[in-house]
Amino acid sequence: MDRTTRQAAVPTPLGRRRFEEVLRDGITARGLALSRVREHLIARGQQIGVSTLSYWQNGERQPTTRSLPVIEALEQVLELSPGTLTSLVPTEADREPRRGKLAGITSYADTVDELIREMGSTSMGLAANLSTIEGVSIGRERSLETKHVHQVVRASEDVDRQVITYQGELGCDVTLLALLPVSGCRIGRVRHHEPTALVVAELLFDRTVHRHESHVFQYVIKDDNKVPTHEHYRMHLEGGGIHVVELTFHPEALPVRVEEFHRRRLEDPDARRRPVPIYHGNRVHLVTEPSTPGISGLSWEYD
């Protein structure tokens, strides 16, 4: 197959074909395995993983403008005209939020997507969770007062921010949910959604975290609503990493029993539930090492 035929197999009318479609057709036309494509890119001085190439061609992730040198080299490897792929790389404003994983575990994924779209953020999915340690305080009114989060992530692409979500109790005043940076980050754009009590926010890292590097950051969520709560949970978008949560109850608002629960989706019945002992009179904890996406959490009851 000559060069002209290969190019004809990959037309690039702007606005009608997506990056992943053109890339997929180009790879097929060249007859190269992704591992061979990667070798050709390395020979041109561009480092990229086979997994990233796979994500790109399947549309599971979108390349950023920071990837343009790699994509220019990719055009050479696939013997495409200059601009065939680079012209299809979405701008920061055009890129779509990375949904799918969130949609698999909660019904309000579309709301989160819309809030992220309003912010124009494109950082979802660029950093994998290695560990998350949460310290949660339940106050005298039986409401969540503060949540201190200590998180470690590893970047799959260069990234300088992380999008987080928090849901208060339904009916609460979302303007009373405050996000405070502690270390390794500062607060960027924030969006609220009153009907679902959702807050979606950007945490801006204090540096650019390059691919394969790790980053440690801490932040606090403060809730002044004083709305009683009876459970705390964490959504795991993928397997891997470790999650630890420790709940501390006010001495005048101790539960009579606490149980851990695990669900496939937030709205599903419990897949597993069992009692959890209360230590030192007012503390409980849960350690989760998720192997698949899902929900893990603690629930409690009062007299």
Side-chain angles (χ1 to χ4, degrees):
M1 183 178 292
D2 62 24
R3 181 183 177 89
T4 303
T5 305
R6 278 194 291 269
Q7 291 180 351
V10 191
T12 58
L14 295 179
R16 284 185 287 167
R17 301 205 71 199
R18 297 170 61 89
F19 175 87
E20 61 266 24
E21 296 172 338
V22 177
L23 175 60
R24 191 162 52 242
D25 286 353
I27 292 173
T28 300
R30 277 286 274 138
L32 294 174
L34 292 183
S35 58
R36 288 289 295 149
V37 173
R38 178 176 180 270
E39 291 173 4
H40 284 296
L41 291 173
I42 291 175
R44 288 169 169 78
Q46 301 299 327
Q47 295 287 338
I48 189 171
V50 170
S51 59
T52 299
L53 291 171
S54 177
Y55 288 142
W56 283 358
Q57 75 165 355
N58 292 325
E60 295 178 24
R61 290 183 183 169
Q62 298 171 322
T64 69
T65 52
R66 292 189 294 268
S67 302
L68 285 176
V70 176
I71 296 171
E72 289 172 353
L74 195 53
E75 289 173 340
Q76 298 173 14
V77 171
L78 300 181
E79 300 183 4
L80 300 173
S81 299
T84 299
L85 289 172
T86 55
S87 63
L88 299 177
V89 175
T91 65
E92 289 298 299
D94 293 336
R95 294 180 73 210
E96 298 176 355
R98 291 170 176 80
R99 70 185 306 274
K101 292 181 180 179
L102 185 61
I105 58 177
T106 180
S107 62
Y108 61 72
D110 287 342
T111 301
V112 173
D113 285 345
E114 181 60 32
L115 296 175
I116 293 174
R117 193 174 296 114
E118 286 181 12
M119 289 195 303
S121 183
T122 58
S123 65
M124 286 287 283
L126 294 183
N129 183 63
L130 297 182
S131 73
T132 301
I133 301 176
E134 298 178 326
V136 178
S137 296
I138 306 298
R140 180 185 283 107
E141 293 82 4
R142 302 180 177 181
S143 61
L144 187 150
E145 293 186 336
T146 60
K147 177 164 80 166
H148 186 288
V149 182
H150 183 289
Q151 192 164 1
V152 184
V153 297
R154 175 173 290 135
S156 56
E157 298 180 31
D158 290 358
V159 63
D160 62 1
R161 66 197 63 199
Q162 176 96 335
V163 173
I164 65 167
T165 63
Y166 176 76
Q167 186 176 33
E169 294 298 307
L170 292 179
C172 76
D173 182 349
V174 292
T175 64
L176 296 179
L177 302 174
L179 182 62
L180 309 172
V182 176
S183 64
C185 65
R186 57 188 174 87
I187 307 303
R189 293 166 289 189
V190 180
R191 294 293 184 273
H192 302 89
H193 188 255
E194 192 86 32
T196 56
L198 277 171
V199 178
V200 177
E202 283 183 325
L203 294 180
L204 306 178
F205 296 154
D206 55 8
R207 66 187 180 98
T208 296
V209 184
H210 298 293
R211 191 162 62 98
H212 300 322
E213 288 184 344
S214 58
H215 186 63
V216 180
F217 57 100
Q218 299 181 61
Y219 61 94
V220 170
I221 295 172
K222 191 171 184 292
D223 189 341
D224 288 331
N225 277 280
K226 309 301 182 186
V227 178
T229 183
H230 66 278
E231 69 175 23
H232 179 274
Y233 61 85
R234 182 83 178 184
M235 293 187 292
H236 309 291
L237 300 186
E238 55 192 359
I242 185 170
H243 172 241
V244 181
V245 57
E246 182 180 54
L247 267 62
T248 302
F249 294 91
H250 191 280
E252 297 179 14
L254 297 177
V256 294
R257 68 182 59 84
V258 181
E259 295 180 322
E260 69 172 86
F261 63 86
H262 302 269
R263 302 169 188 158
R264 178 63 184 84
R265 286 175 53 87
L266 182 59
E267 297 81 11
D268 285 354
D270 297 331
R272 187 168 78 255
R273 177 176 285 267
R274 67 178 183 180
V276 175
I278 301 177
Y279 295 102
H280 305 292
N282 68 336
R283 290 162 48 198
V284 297
H285 74 271
L286 173 64
V287 179
T288 306
E289 298 180 68
S291 58
T292 59
I295 308 291
S296 66
L298 293 166
S299 66
W300 53 93
E301 298 177 12
Y302 297 97
D303 279 336

